[in-house]
Amino acid sequence: MTTITLDRNAKTVEPKQAWDYAQARALYDLPFADLIFRAQSVHRMHFDPNEVQMSTLLSIKTGGCPEDCGYCSQSSHFETGLKASKLMGLDEVRTAAVQAKAGGATRFCMGAAWREPKDRDIDTLCDMVREVKGLGLESCMTLGMLTQPQATRLANAGLDYYNHNIDTGPEYYGKVITTRTLQDRLDTLEHVREAGMAVCCGGIIGMGEAREDRIGMLVTLANLPTPPESVPINALMKIKGTPLGGSAKIDNFEFVRTIAAARIMMPTSVVRLSAGRENMSEELQSLCFLAGANSIFIGPKLLTTANPAKDKDDALWAKLGIRSMDI
Ligand code: SAM
Ligand code: DTB
Ligand code: SF4
């Protein structure tokens, strides 16, 4: 194991191997300015600090999900008022991807409210991947658990990334979801890796978890056999009718600390400021970028919830001098 020094003037902290909880905790607990300086220094070693990747999401199959994720509008276990729909047709996906590209996205992520896809849907999903790739966009899908053959078929169709979040730390996992285990998620991540796709894996902050759980989540991610190339950090979008819909709002600095620790612990990964920008001030988003976030979702909608309007985002990019990252 590599030891890290927490010398306040050190420019970088770059362990090449495992992080243990105590190391991660010491990092996370640093005075705020020291943590941000560390994160920004690491960020600049691997990325242009003024570039942010713009992604757009599309819900290709909405609602009616048999899983009981306590944060989710799409679970059939809770009354959220969401209207369920079947798997979208190819034409609708193509139209949405063309629009996303015209709106400035370079990455297109398709999400389905499934526990797992059916084998018979995989050909259609592969056609969707080919459409998106044909437009020159980076592709990502999140469809629930995958078998090894399903992962291989998607990879062969050209799918670049598979998103499958661990959502929270190991000790809090059972408080959030009971219909699957953390190990189920890790098994799918292994299938994704084996198939040769890049892994997009992160979680949600603000579900009533403790700082220990946020750190536990980052330690789990950083210690995967290969850390995820892409790490989405979502701020909980509170959904009425879900068990976690009444969670207390996460402290802004705590959220930024999570981003900064993710950046330092996974220095070459794209850290995605994912759900929650709709409820964030310009200043908070800017702190997230300073802490090393370098991807966001653009477009008026995430999967089922709101995202900032384009004119608002464009005004912020202009104020900060942020450019879109090429893929
Ligand atoms: N059903 C698939 C799955 O769970 O893997 C894919 C879709 S699911 C909506 C994708 C991810 O979105 C979840 O793993 C979760 O991390 C995030 N998410 C879902 N609802 C959210 C919410 N209300 N606030 C923040 N993030 C959320
Ligand atoms: C991820 O980590 N965040 C995105 C993407 N992966 C699929 C989804 C956010 C969903 C937010 C709640 C909603 O819109 O339903
Ligand atoms: Fe289903 Fe995914 Fe929502 Fe969980 S997060 S209920 S698996 S759509």
Side-chain angles (χ1 to χ4, degrees):
M1 177 165 315
T2 311
T3 45
I4 59 159
T5 52
L6 288 172
D7 167 7
R8 285 197 186 184
N9 299 314
K11 271 223 158 140
T12 59
V13 177
E14 255 198 299
K16 295 279 182 286
Q17 296 163 32
W19 280 84
D20 66 24
Y21 178 82
Q23 289 174 316
R25 174 93 211 193
L27 179 72
Y28 202 103
D29 288 350
L30 279 172
F32 191 72
D34 294 341
L35 179 61
I36 299 300
F37 176 69
R38 243 2 126 74
Q40 181 63 201
S41 305
V42 170
H43 191 51
R44 281 169 185 264
M45 287 184 66
H46 302 285
F47 296 100
D48 180 328
N50 303 308
E51 285 189 351
V52 170
Q53 189 182 30
M54 310 290 176
S55 315
T56 290
L57 268 168
L58 176 69
S59 180
I60 57 172
K61 195 270 161 203
T62 305
C65 182
E67 301 273 39
D68 70 350
C69 311
Y71 48 78
C72 188
S73 62
Q74 308 200 65
S75 167
S76 60
H77 294 255
F78 320 125
E79 282 300 328
T80 65
L82 187 75
K83 194 173 165 286
S85 64
K86 289 205 181 112
L87 182 60
M88 214 176 241
L90 200 54
D91 284 350
E92 233 180 309
V93 173
R94 185 186 309 115
T95 304
V98 167
Q99 263 174 21
K101 188 173 176 175
T106 57
R107 173 187 176 89
F108 193 66
C109 307
M110 293 160 272
W114 283 324
R115 174 173 165 82
E116 65 232 321
K118 298 200 169 63
D119 281 339
R120 64 163 187 264
D121 288 325
I122 299 288
D123 280 339
T124 308
L125 295 164
C126 287
D127 287 342
M128 292 177 183
V129 171
R130 283 186 276 266
E131 285 289 344
V132 169
K133 293 296 293 173
L135 293 168
L137 291 161
E138 194 170 83
S139 59
C140 182
M141 276 184 164
T142 179
L143 313 167
M145 292 184 267
L146 292 183
T147 63
Q148 186 62 68
Q150 289 176 337
T152 302
R153 284 168 70 190
L154 290 166
N156 290 344
L159 185 60
D160 297 305
Y161 283 81
Y162 195 76
N163 168 240
H164 201 62
N165 290 341
I166 59 167
D167 284 334
T168 191
E171 277 156 34
Y172 201 64
Y173 197 87
K175 296 253 168 19
V176 178
I177 303 147
T178 69
T179 50
R180 61 164 189 264
T181 62
L182 175 57
Q183 189 56 49
D184 288 330
R185 292 253 127 178
L186 299 176
D187 291 346
T188 289
L189 293 175
E190 227 177 276
H191 299 154
V192 170
R193 275 274 171 241
E194 192 60 32
M197 285 183 283
V199 165
C200 175
C201 185
I204 307 177
I205 306 303
M207 300 191 292
E209 77 286 345
R211 182 178 274 196
E212 286 75 12
D213 300 308
R214 292 185 276 280
I215 296 168
M217 176 179 92
L218 295 178
V219 168
T220 306
L221 293 171
N223 288 343
L224 286 171
T226 304
E229 286 80 0
S230 161
V231 182
I233 304 291
N234 297 277
L236 177 70
M237 294 295 283
K238 292 185 201 173
I239 310 286
K240 242 182 148 171
T242 61
L244 297 171
S247 307
K249 189 189 170 303
I250 186 76
D251 176 77
N252 289 342
F253 294 104
E254 191 66 20
F255 186 79
V256 177
R257 279 183 183 275
T258 310
I259 299 254
R263 163 53 62 225
I264 296 165
M265 293 168 70
M266 292 167 278
T268 59
S269 307
V270 175
V271 175
R272 302 185 191 275
L273 171 57
S274 298
R277 287 200 306 116
E278 174 71 356
N279 305 320
M280 292 180 194
S281 67
E282 291 188 335
E283 291 81 2
L284 175 55
Q285 292 182 59
S286 308
L287 270 179
C288 292
F289 297 132
L290 261 178
N294 60 349
S295 173
I296 49 145
F297 287 115
I298 56 168
K301 213 169 158 192
L302 296 166
L303 289 173
T304 68
T305 62
N307 205 36
K310 183 172 166 50
D311 56 344
K312 227 172 139 188
D313 272 353
D314 287 347
L316 181 56
W317 313 149
K319 283 190 221 181
L320 299 179
I322 280 180
R323 301 181 300 270
S324 172
M325 187 193 291
D326 283 339
I327 53 163

